[in-house]
Amino acid sequence: MGSLKFEPPQENNSADMSGPLDLVEFRRQGHMMVDFIADYYQKIEKHPVLSQVQPGYLKERLPESAPYNPEPIETILQDVQNHIVPGLTHWQSPNHFAYFPATISTAGFLGEMLTTGFNVVGFNWIASPAATELETIVMDWLGDMLKLPTSFLFSGNGGGVLQGTTCEAIVCTMAAARDQMLSQIGRENIGKLVVYGSDQTHSTLQKASQIVGIHPKNFRAIETTKSTSFALSPEVLKSTVCSDIEAGLVPLFLCATIGTTAVTAVDPLGPLCDVAKEHGMWVHVDAAYAGSACICPEFRPFIDGVEGADSFSLNPHKWLFANLDCCCLWVKNPSALVSSLSTNPEYLRNKATDSKQVVDYKDWQIALSRRFRAIKLWLVLRSYGVNNLRNFIRSDVKMATFFEGLVEMDKRFEVVVPRKFSLVCFRVSPSAISKANYPTANYEKCVNEVNCKLLEAINGSGRVFMTHAVVGGIYVLRCAIGTTLTEEKHVAMAWKVVQEHAAAILHPPCIN
């Protein structure tokens, strides 16, 4: 009896079969992709900044299953243009003033190309020595630009690592703080650990607390007030900590912020670190947005007192042209991270690691695998240099000052919180809203509703995109300036859009 033979059916491909990395096609298609992206940027202002599609739009446009046979790149790019681009909110539009900027640059693009092109998985030194060693170098470079204490640098006894996001940075440092504390008080007492921030601290702090096992009742978001420009008060922190200690709890972790998300409040680092150290707490400084500005000597005083902290992070993808994702984390005591995050399976053992003379970044982060992000940051720092990077930031601050001046000249509006960097928080002033048109006992609620309507109208126009915050019960519009392509003419246009829609809301036309 003969052996059974399975012969797969003959495929009738619509395109020639080629390997997944055909270098001839790579060159051809790579040029097409660069042209496509360049054309996108050239025409980006023609698109509504905020996507106008409805939920589920894409499912109606695309097939229900993947193609059985290959499709040409020309067809795919045409579908990107027809179906994907309409569903984008255009973060790189010069008229994008929402959230915080997500800067981009030629050097950032090229760095991403190299990162993707090499596609190394640099979890330890031996997996790609250049990836690890370049990261240690650029982290010290940027730390030196910020004038961080040498205790945070590899040239001292500390060191830096490139994470993806601030949330990852806080999870890693909080895990290190947790394990240090539990080694003293016993792991069974994890339910006593308390984490502190302000009500303006980014929600990543609460997420990190949940991830590392802090009891939800032991998360403290301390109230801030307009009188302190919504910065965390050292006196209130101390009072809160003392109350927790009296209740038998254990203070663990404080997150101080330089440039909060809502209004760019700056927490006073020195006094806060003094309170924290008095009670043995780990202090992390989150400078995700505003930290980049501190490469400028005139902004560096905002991080005075950082020498009292245990860790410090900022995101060059926000305001330092490194493209998403790129979060820099420095720690004074790298061994605390390694102790909490390291695993050493046999298949990763090697002589370099055993020598204790190299950094294995897998032990400084949550994941095992990691991208070669350092080459992107290296290209940015080399391509523009410290002086130009400072001037780019100064230009954004100058445009924000310009916008702030326009707001202040129009008596219908007010700046709610003093501007510190390139974010302007403003609203229609209560004095501009006629109580006759909004008869209610809760007038402040009506003021908030008017400003909410104004923001909806602005964003609905498609010409500008801004976001909002609510601080101290006040609804504010946020104009965040810093998108790479934004110029003063775009800022002036944005203000014109604000004025036009405010006029329509405050003085609606009479209908006969």
Side-chain angles (χ1 to χ4, degrees):
M1 185 174 179
S3 62
L4 296 175
K5 291 184 179 181
F6 172 74
E7 296 184 5
Q10 295 297 311
E11 307 290 352
N12 182 20
N13 291 339
S14 60
D16 291 337
M17 183 66 179
S18 61
L21 187 58
D22 181 317
L23 297 185
V24 173
E25 275 300 289
F26 173 70
R27 290 182 190 277
R28 185 183 76 85
Q29 295 184 26
H31 285 296
M32 288 179 62
M33 188 65 72
V34 169
D35 286 342
F36 181 89
I37 295 171
D39 288 343
Y40 165 74
Y41 276 96
Q42 200 162 37
K43 302 170 185 175
I44 196 168
E45 288 190 69
K46 296 182 179 180
H47 300 291
V49 188
L50 183 63
S51 176
Q52 305 294 300
V53 302
Q54 297 301 311
Y57 91 99
L58 195 55
K59 188 175 182 179
E60 297 176 359
R61 297 189 181 200
L62 298 186
E64 292 184 356
S65 59
Y68 190 70
N69 291 315
E71 296 184 88
I73 188 65
E74 292 84 355
T75 300
I76 298 169
L77 285 180
Q78 189 60 56
D79 282 349
V80 171
Q81 184 65 52
N82 293 342
H83 305 312
I84 303 301
V85 171
L88 297 178
T89 289
H90 300 280
W91 280 71
Q92 302 311 317
S93 168
N95 301 314
H96 186 286
F97 300 101
Y99 308 110
F100 278 132
T103 51
I104 202 164
S105 65
T106 301
F109 264 121
L110 298 179
E112 281 290 340
M113 290 174 70
L114 284 175
T115 298
T116 303
F118 292 141
N119 202 33
V120 299
V121 187
F123 42 71
N124 59 14
W125 181 87
I126 200 170
S128 273
T132 294
E133 296 196 11
L134 185 62
E135 189 160 334
T136 65
I137 290 168
V138 297
M139 289 301 293
D140 269 12
W141 277 12
L142 186 51
D144 183 62
M145 289 164 59
L146 292 161
K147 298 195 180 302
L148 290 181
T150 56
S151 55
F152 281 105
L153 309 181
F154 285 105
S155 57
N157 294 316
V161 56
L162 288 170
Q163 307 273 0
T165 66
T166 299
C167 189
E168 295 170 49
I170 296 179
V171 167
C172 291
T173 54
M174 195 181 295
R178 175 201 62 194
D179 291 345
Q180 278 189 333
M181 185 63 74
L182 293 179
S183 69
Q184 300 172 34
I185 67 173
R187 299 198 71 86
E188 69 276 9
N189 289 308
I190 189 171
K192 296 181 178 180
L193 301 181
V194 187
V195 169
Y196 302 86
S198 82
D199 58 1
Q200 300 302 308
T201 304
H202 197 279
S203 60
T204 55
L205 180 66
Q206 185 173 9
K207 178 178 280 193
S209 299
Q210 295 169 192
I211 291 171
V212 305
I214 304 301
H215 195 290
K217 292 182 179 179
N218 292 349
F219 177 79
R220 305 283 181 263
I222 299 172
E223 185 178 357
T224 59
T225 63
K226 190 175 181 181
S227 64
T228 60
S229 297
F230 301 101
L232 177 57
S233 162
E235 292 76 23
V236 179
L237 171 66
K238 185 170 185 177
S239 174
T240 305
V241 169
C242 289
S243 294
D244 285 334
I245 292 173
E246 290 176 7
L249 300 176
V250 179
L252 173 69
F253 191 95
L254 167 67
C255 182
T257 308
I258 305 300
T260 59
T261 301
V263 296
T264 62
V266 174
D267 293 337
L269 292 187
L272 291 173
C273 287
D274 291 342
V275 173
K277 291 309 171 187
E278 185 179 342
H279 300 285
M281 298 166 62
W282 182 296
V283 180
H284 178 74
V285 179
D286 171 14
Y289 155 70
S292 295
C294 295
I295 67 171
C296 301
E298 63 269 31
F299 295 114
R300 175 56 177 76
F302 283 118
I303 59 171
D304 284 352
V306 68
E307 60 275 6
D310 298 280
S311 51
F312 177 91
S313 64
L314 66 83
N315 294 353
H317 62 237
K318 276 190 166 65
W319 207 7
L320 213 54
F321 309 97
N323 301 23
L324 196 70
D325 56 6
C326 186
C327 172
C328 296
L329 168 66
W330 290 268
V331 291
K332 281 184 176 177
N333 183 11
S335 63
L337 284 185
V338 173
S339 177
S340 289
L341 303 173
S342 67
T343 54
N344 294 293
E346 180 63 31
Y347 52 80
L348 292 183
R349 292 203 51 192
N350 61 86
K351 289 182 179 179
T353 294
D354 291 343
S355 75
K356 308 294 184 184
Q357 295 180 348
V358 299
V359 173
D360 285 346
Y361 273 124
K362 71 179 179 63
D363 300 330
W364 294 51
Q365 62 176 28
I366 298 168
L368 171 67
S369 300
R370 65 197 323 269
R371 303 175 68 236
F372 190 0
R373 294 187 184 96
I375 201 165
K376 173 175 61 177
L377 188 54
W378 188 55
L379 255 71
V380 169
L381 297 180
R382 292 191 62 189
S383 296
Y384 304 117
V386 177
N387 187 54
N388 276 331
L389 291 172
R390 286 173 175 169
N391 287 335
F392 293 150
I393 288 170
R394 287 167 176 152
S395 174
D396 291 337
V397 174
K398 183 179 178 182
M399 286 189 284
T401 305
F402 170 64
F403 186 88
E404 181 183 40
L406 294 174
V407 174
E408 292 174 336
M409 284 191 295
D410 190 325
K411 300 304 180 184
R412 298 173 298 172
F413 293 87
E414 64 180 5
V415 174
V416 178
V417 182
R419 181 198 52 77
K420 292 183 176 66
F421 303 100
S422 66
L423 173 71
V424 180
C425 295
F426 68 103
R427 69 169 178 169
V428 173
S429 172
S431 63
I433 300 172
S434 172
K435 291 186 178 181
N437 294 336
Y438 298 93
T440 177
N442 192 344
Y443 183 52
E444 186 61 44
K445 180 181 178 181
C446 288
V447 173
N448 286 348
E449 289 175 354
V450 167
N451 281 283
C452 181
K453 289 180 182 178
L454 174 58
L455 183 62
E456 290 175 353
I458 291 168
N459 292 339
S461 74
R463 298 164 64 193
V464 171
F465 182 30
M466 295 182 185
T467 47
H468 78 283
V470 177
V471 287
I474 301 172
Y475 186 103
V476 300
L477 283 72
R478 299 170 69 263
C479 179
I481 295 169
T483 301
T484 306
L485 297 175
T486 299
E487 300 175 11
E488 190 172 292
K489 65 181 181 181
H490 301 108
V491 176
M493 186 276 288
W495 177 241
K496 184 178 179 182
V497 171
V498 171
Q499 287 183 308
E500 289 173 357
H501 289 285
I505 291 172
L506 293 173
H507 305 289
C510 295
I511 301 176
N512 296 324

